C-alpha cells in the first residue's frame, strides 16, 4: 500500500492536475464508465460530528475506493486543527487489495474548486468579465483562486453573511492583480459568473439577484436541508450538475424537485457537456446553473493522480500491508 500523508499533498497536487482529473471523471460518469456509490453521512452523537463515506468505481480510470471523513465543528477551537477531516483509500480493482491511503483535506478543497472551474470553462460566456462570490469562508478562497486561473476576469465582487470575512476574497483577487469590491446581494446583477460557497440552510439569493446570461456555480449545498438559492432561480435557469441523483436528494435542486417545480429530467450532467452529448449553453441570455454536490469519484480521481505523481517524485512511502 502506498501512503501519501496530508503534509505532502501541497507539494504534489497542482490546480491544473486537479482540474484535469475532475473534468475527466465527470466525462466518464456521463459516459456510464464510472459510478458513485450511495453516500453515507451520519451524525455520530459525539463531538457533534458528521461522519460518512463517499465511494465509487471508475472503470476507465480504474479507480476504486472511498473517502471517509466529515466535519468536526469544535476541532479548530479545541485542538487547533481544521474542522473538515478526511482520508481517501484506493483499492486495486483487479484484486480488491488496498492500494493507497491519501490525506484528504487539501485534496477535498482542490477537487471542489476544480468542479466549479470546470463548469465555468464549459458553461460561462466566453466574454464574462465580472466574477461574483457569495461566501467567504475556508472553501470560498479555493473556489475563487481556481476560477481566476480558469478564465480571464477583470474584476471580483463579493458578498458574505459575515462581512468581516470579505478581506480574504480581496487577498485572492490581489494575487491576480484584480480589483475587489464588496457588493450587496442586489449588486450581484453585475456579475457574469457567480460562485456560491456557504453553509446556509435558507435561500440567500434568487432570480432577482442574477442577470440574464450569467453562469452560477452553487457549491455549498451538499446535505439534506441545505439551500443557497431560491427555487425561482432553479426554475428559471438551465440546471447542470455533477450527479443528478445527488442533486435532487442532497444538492441545490432538492427543494425545487420536492416542491414539483423541477423534474429530474430537466437536470443535465456537466459530463454530458464535456463529452459533447449536450450542447451546453444555448444562448448569450440563458442563465446556466451548476449544482456541485461533490461526488466520491472526484476524490478518487484526484487521489489516483496524487499517488501517480508522488511515486514519480519519490514522495510518500510504500508499506507491506
Ligand atoms: P466555512 O465554515 O469556512 O464557511 C462558511 C461560509 O458560509 C462563510 O462564508 C459564512 O459566512 C457563510 N455562512 C454561515 N452561515 C450562513 C448563513 N446562515 N447564511 C449565509 N451564509 C452563511 O465552511 P467552508 O469550508 O467554506 O464550506 C462551506 C460549505 O461548503 C459547507 O457547508 C460545506 O459542507 C460545503 N462543501 C461542499 C463541497 C462540495 O463538494 N459541494 C465541498 C466542501 C464543502
Amino acid at each position: 500500500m502506498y501512503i501519501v500523508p496530508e503534509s505532502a499533498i501541497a507539494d504534489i497536487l497542482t490546480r491544473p492536475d486537479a482540474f484535469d482529473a475532475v473534468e475527466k471523471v465527470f466525462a466518464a460518469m456521463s459516459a456510464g464508465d464510472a459510478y458513485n456509490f450511495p453516500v453515507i453521512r451520519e451524525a455520530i452523537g459525539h463531538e457533534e460530528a458528521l461522519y460518512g463515506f463517499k465511494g465509487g468505481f471508475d472503470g476507465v480510470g480504474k479507480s476504486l475506493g472511498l473517502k471517509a471523513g466529515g466535519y468536526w465543528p469544535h476541532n479548530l477551537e479545541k485542538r487547533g486543527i481544521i474542522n473538515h477531516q478526511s482520508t481517501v483509500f484506493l483499492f486495486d480493482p483487479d484484486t480488491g487489495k488496498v492500494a493507497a491511503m491519501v490525506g484528504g483535506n487539501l485534496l477535498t478543497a482542490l477537487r471542489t474548486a476544480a468542479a466549479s472551474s470546470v463548469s465555468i470553462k464549459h458553461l460561462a460566456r466566453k466574454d464574462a468579465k465580472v466574477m461574483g462570490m457569495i461566501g467567504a469562508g475556508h472553501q470560498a478562497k479555493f473556489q475563487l483562486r481556481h476560477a481566476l486561473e480558469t478564465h480571464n476576469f477583470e474584476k471580483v465582487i463579493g458578498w458574505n453573511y459575515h462581512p468581516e470575512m470579505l478581506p480574504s476574497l480581496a487577498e485572492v483577487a490581489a494575487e491576480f492583480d484584480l480589483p475587489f469590491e464588496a457588493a450587496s446581494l442586489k449588486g450581484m446583477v453585475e456579475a457574469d459568473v457567480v460562485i456560491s460557497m456557504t453553509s446556509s440552510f435558507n435561500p440567500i439569493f434568487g432570480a432577482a439577484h442574477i442577470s440574464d446570461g450569467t453562469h452560477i456555480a452553487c457549491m455549498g449545498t451538499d446535505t439534506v436541508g441545505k439551500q443557497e438559492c431560491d427555487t425561482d432561480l432553479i426554475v428559471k435557469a438551465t440546471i447542470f450538475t455533477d450527479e443528478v441523483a445527488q442533486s435532487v436528494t442532497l444538492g441545490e435542486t432538492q427543494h425545487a424537485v420536492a416542491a414539483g417545480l423541477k423534474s429530474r429530467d430537466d437536470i443535465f450532467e456537466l459530463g454530458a457537456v464535456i463529452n459533447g452529448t449536450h450542447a451546453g449553453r444555448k444562448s448569450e441570455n440563458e442563465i446556466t446553473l451548476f449544482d456541485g454536490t461533490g461526488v466520491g469519484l472526484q476524490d478518487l480521481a484526484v487521489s489516483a493522480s496524487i499517488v501517480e505523481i508522488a511515486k514519480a517524485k519519490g514522495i510518500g512511502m510504500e508499506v507491506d500491508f
Side-chain angles (χ1 to χ4, degrees):
M1 173 171 71
Y2 206 79
I3 299 178
V4 189
E6 184 64 44
S7 57
I9 306 295
D11 291 332
I12 297 172
L13 185 64
T14 64
R15 283 193 287 280
D17 287 334
F19 186 101
D20 284 351
V22 169
E23 189 178 43
K24 281 198 185 96
V25 85
F26 283 170
M29 280 161 56
S30 190
D33 295 327
Y35 73 105
N36 292 289
F37 306 154
V39 175
I40 291 179
R41 200 161 163 90
E42 294 285 318
I44 59 172
H46 178 71
E47 288 285 338
E48 293 182 73
L50 287 175
Y51 177 73
F53 312 102
K54 280 187 171 182
F57 176 51
D58 177 352
V60 170
K62 294 277 181 272
S63 326
L64 171 69
L66 60 91
K67 180 170 80 172
Y71 188 69
W72 273 256
H74 308 300
N75 271 357
L76 194 60
E77 62 186 75
K78 279 192 187 172
R79 302 176 185 88
I81 59 172
I82 66 168
N83 295 346
H84 290 279
Q85 291 292 331
S86 58
T87 307
V88 177
F89 296 89
L90 295 176
F91 297 83
D92 179 341
D94 295 331
T95 63
K97 200 171 182 304
V98 64
M101 180 167 90
V102 181
N105 297 349
L106 179 60
L107 171 163
T108 299
L110 289 170
R111 67 77 147 146
T112 305
S116 51
S117 289
V118 170
S119 85
I120 291 169
K121 173 182 165 187
H122 290 281
L123 293 171
R125 293 189 336 265
K126 300 296 169 231
D127 65 349
K129 291 185 176 57
V130 179
M131 174 70 229
M133 290 298 299
I134 294 178
H138 171 75
Q139 189 60 43
K141 287 174 280 181
F142 285 90
Q143 307 300 134
L144 178 58
R145 196 174 282 120
H146 218 135
L148 297 183
E149 212 166 67
T150 301
H151 182 93
N152 281 327
F153 290 100
E154 294 178 0
K155 181 164 113 173
V156 180
I157 62 174
W159 176 92
N160 194 41
Y161 185 70
H162 303 101
E164 68 278 10
M165 295 164 80
L166 285 174
S168 64
L169 297 180
E171 280 166 25
V172 176
E175 288 170 22
F176 292 80
D177 289 326
L178 290 179
F180 173 82
E181 287 171 15
S184 65
L185 280 172
K186 280 187 183 157
M188 274 297 145
V189 291
E190 193 191 342
D192 302 306
V193 172
V194 172
I195 297 177
S196 61
M197 189 77 227
T198 74
S199 50
S200 180
F201 276 79
N202 292 298
I204 304 167
F205 64 101
H209 306 103
I210 300 295
S211 294
D212 286 351
T214 302
H215 172 63
I216 310 142
C218 286
M219 302 303 298
T221 299
D222 58 355
T223 303
V224 174
K226 279 188 178 174
Q227 187 172 12
E228 293 188 299
C229 90
D230 201 288
T231 51
D232 67 351
L233 183 56
I234 298 289
V235 170
K236 189 174 179 188
T238 308
I239 309 292
F240 299 85
T241 188
D242 40 22
E243 191 183 80
V244 175
Q246 281 198 189
S247 175
V248 301
T249 51
L250 51 81
E252 196 58 54
T253 70
Q254 61 181 288
H255 308 281
V257 170
L261 300 170
K262 200 87 176 175
S263 130
R264 57 186 295 155
D265 295 338
D266 300 327
I267 301 167
F268 307 103
E269 287 174 332
L270 179 56
V273 182
I274 298 167
N275 286 339
T277 53
H278 187 290
R281 168 175 290 280
K282 290 189 288 297
S283 79
E284 294 295 289
N285 291 332
E286 185 178 18
I287 296 176
T288 53
L289 187 151
F290 172 64
D291 178 17
T293 63
V295 294
L297 282 168
Q298 276 171 270
D299 301 301
L300 304 189
V302 173
S303 298
S305 170
I306 286 172
V307 172
E308 199 181 304
I309 300 166
K311 282 182 177 172
K313 287 187 166 182
I315 303 172
M317 68 189 93
E318 184 90 51
V319 295
D320 199 12
F321 193 78

